[in-house]
């Protein structure tokens, strides 16, 4: 069983910064891509940023230039550095990973989510 554990959420004033972390553990052979998604109240979950095992990234237009995704393959960990935060960034941020397990299957797993609240 694979677990994703997020940390780093919290309350911050507009213009501030937060850094989210997500560590994957369990029977993982190799992680393919990892990403962050968010869901605000009354809205659908949306992709924030994603990074492949080779370091290729893609971002939602709303966070380009403000957020940076990175990963430590040795630690099976993905990070999201969030700068110049805006009240509209308030949401539950959830980590996702696609990976191969020892049996050869390709699977996906989600974290529990961490709340990010940006006050104006």
């Amino acid at each position: 069983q694979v677990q994703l554990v997020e940390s780093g959420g919290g309350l911050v004033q507009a213009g501030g910064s937060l850094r989210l972390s997500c560590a994957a553990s369990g029977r993982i052979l190799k992680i393919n891509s990892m990403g962050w998604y968010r869901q605000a109240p009354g809205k659908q979950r949306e992709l924030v940023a994603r990074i492949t095992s080779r370091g290729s990234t893609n971002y939602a237009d709303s966070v380009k230039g403000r957020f940076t995704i990175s990963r430590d393959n040795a630690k099976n960990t993905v990070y999201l550095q969030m700068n110049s935060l805006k009240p509209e960034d308030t949401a539950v941020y959830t980590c996702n990973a696609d990976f191969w397990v020892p049996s050869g299957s390709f699977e996906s797993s989600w974290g529990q989510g961490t709340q990010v609240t940006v006050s104006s």
Side-chain angles (χ1 to χ4, degrees):
Q1 190 172 0
V2 173
Q3 284 189 319
L4 300 181
V5 179
E6 301 113 332
S7 61
L11 173 65
V12 65
Q13 288 189 332
S17 298
L18 283 174
R19 188 189 193 214
L20 305 182
S21 299
C22 172
S25 62
R27 294 180 59 79
I28 299 171
L29 187 60
K30 181 181 178 181
I31 295 179
N32 181 35
S33 64
M34 302 183 79
W36 289 94
Y37 294 74
R38 67 186 181 186
Q39 186 168 20
K43 295 187 176 181
Q44 289 188 332
R45 183 165 60 189
E46 63 174 356
L47 171 69
V48 176
R50 199 157 186 95
I51 185 168
T52 70
S53 58
R54 297 184 177 183
S56 297
T57 59
N58 65 293
Y59 296 90
D61 288 343
S62 59
V63 307
K64 284 180 180 177
R66 300 188 297 122
F67 291 10
T68 301
I69 190 170
S70 61
R71 64 187 281 179
D72 185 332
N73 290 331
K75 296 181 179 179
N76 286 341
T77 299
V78 64
Y79 306 96
L80 185 68
Q81 178 66 44
M82 304 185 293
N83 299 328
S84 302
L85 282 160
K86 305 175 181 180
E88 50 264 44
D89 294 318
T90 295
V92 174
Y93 285 69
T94 306
C95 174
N96 172 263
D98 295 330
F99 50 88
W100 285 272
V101 296
S103 67
S105 299
F106 187 69
E107 300 182 1
S108 180
S109 185
W110 293 87
Q112 294 292 324
T114 185
Q115 177 69 45
V116 171
T117 302
V118 184
S119 63
S120 56

